[in-house]
Amino acid sequence: MKTYKIGSIPGDGIGPEVAREGLKVLETVARLEDFDYELVDYPYSGDHYLKTKELVPERVIDEWRTLDAVLLGAIGHPDVEPGLVERSVILGLRFRLDMYVNLRPIKLYSEHLCPLKNKTPADIDFVVVRENTEGMYSQIGGHLKKGTPDEVALVNGVYTWKGCERASRYAFELARKRGTARGEGGRKPQVTLVDKDNAIRPHDIWDRSFAYVASDFPDVQTDHAYVDACCMWMIKNPEWFDVIVTTNLFGDIITDLGAMIQGGMGIAASGNIHPGRTSMFEPIHGSAPKHAGKNVACPLGMISAVSMMLDFLGEEQAAARIEDAVAHLLKSRAIPSADTRSGISTPDMGDMVVNRIQEVAQT
Ligand code: IPM
Ligand code: MG
């Protein structure tokens, strides 16, 4: 039997509450699909930092490289300096393990979850490939004369040919894999490059590396949008998108917008991927301290992240079992919304997904 080594970082706030449900679902599909896994628990979080002053030590980064995948709940604590633990854990994983793609599907399962007028699941089904190791997140920069009236703050946006090219290549391969039948008349697969190269001229490294990759994919259509226009199209005509490739910061921003049109932060999931190496899967929501400890958080984002992890590991059937269950529960309105107002507690919602998976397996 195949055994996967999976790191688990429940983290802060609602993180541990949703992570528990994700693991419950993982256990269910592992039994059905006959694979095994070993969980390695990591305590890193804002909470852990307040108690111990410990961030992620170097030896743990090395240990992470030996895992097949990592599941992360959420990181962020109101009493810790903003971003300190996030940079150590989330960016530590992404940067140090070179997880160069942040894959963020934006898929509407049921019309009633969408705040846009007259948009249906046929209209909202695209994927954002967010470059995940450079851009404005490079951490290169700092302050001069901090705390004085002459203070200067500098941050460098770093874009390497290698970083842009590999993100684009991943996007084109994904578009090809997603297939051809999109929308009316079955349009060709399409990759849209989203940047801001009118105002930020060095962004043209994205255009040139994108065009270079595109020449290897004559079967994939290309498109380009400035990030501001992209936000507009995501609301006005989300059906135009198939795969988007974009910078680290723009990807961060447009996927919160994407989460809203697919039903809210409670359902959006992501994978931090380096093909063939340790990759990390997490809901895109944060630790939501105001909801912590109440068991009202929606675990569907976390549960969908588990599905993405299994797909990455090659357990496609297990992944599909989870996705189908989530889609069914939302479509049938057994789960009326993917937020704190669903009226269903976090563990009950996890149980509903488990039960649905088991029901389908028995028929
Ligand atoms: C995300 C988050 C992170 C990011 C934060 C917590 C550093 O917003 O995963 O989208 O900016 O990437
Ligand atoms: Mg974000």
Side-chain angles (χ1 to χ4, degrees), residues 89-303:
V89 183
I90 302 178
L91 302 187
L93 277 157
R94 292 178 186 167
F95 281 62
R96 300 294 304 284
L97 274 71
D98 200 31
M99 299 169 174
Y100 65 85
V101 161
N102 195 325
L103 191 64
R104 299 188 157 187
I106 297 172
K107 184 170 172 140
L108 177 67
Y109 288 119
S110 177
E111 193 170 338
H112 77 280
L113 300 171
C114 185
L116 304 180
K117 251 189 280 170
N118 305 325
K119 296 295 175 188
T120 69
D123 299 313
I124 300 178
D125 182 5
F126 59 99
V127 184
V128 176
V129 173
R130 166 185 175 187
E131 197 291 320
N132 210 28
T133 56
E134 43 189 54
M136 295 300 281
Y137 282 58
S138 70
Q139 314 295 315
I140 299 175
H143 298 84
L144 182 68
K145 303 184 186 177
K146 193 169 182 175
T148 77
D150 298 325
E151 177 164 348
V152 178
L154 278 179
V155 55
N156 287 311
V158 175
Y159 307 96
T160 65
W161 183 275
K162 177 181 165 183
C164 299
E165 186 192 337
R166 64 186 182 173
S168 284
R169 196 166 294 282
Y170 188 97
F172 277 90
E173 275 162 8
L174 179 63
R176 189 177 265 173
K177 199 169 133 202
R178 278 166 60 85
T180 46
R182 294 195 309 121
E184 270 166 58
R187 284 179 294 169
K188 280 204 312 188
Q190 174 180 288
V191 182
T192 305
L193 171 63
V194 171
D195 60 26
K196 189 67 192 176
D197 75 345
N198 52 351
I200 305 169
R201 274 316 284 157
H203 271 189
D204 85 319
I205 190 175
W206 274 98
D207 295 79
R208 285 178 290 113
S209 51
F210 181 84
Y212 172 75
V213 173
S215 65
D216 291 338
F217 295 83
D219 51 320
V220 178
Q221 211 164 289
T222 61
D223 193 12
H224 178 260
Y226 299 129
V227 65
D228 47 349
C230 172
C231 291
M232 171 187 66
W233 296 128
M234 279 174 68
I235 300 298
K236 196 167 179 283
N237 295 99
E239 66 277 9
W240 286 357
F241 295 113
D242 179 8
V243 175
I244 287 177
V245 60
T246 191
T247 71
N248 204 342
L249 180 62
F250 293 165
D252 176 49
I253 297 167
I254 67 171
T255 53
D256 269 27
L257 180 59
M260 293 321 291
I261 64 171
Q262 73 181 125
M265 296 301 280
I267 185 141
S270 69
N272 300 265
I273 293 173
H274 186 125
R277 291 207 217 156
T278 316
S279 295
M280 183 266 278
F281 299 83
E282 54 174 339
I284 87 160
H285 64 67
S287 60
K290 69 174 179 196
H291 297 309
K294 300 181 185 152
N295 269 323
V296 293
C298 174
L300 295 180
M302 184 77 228
I303 289 169

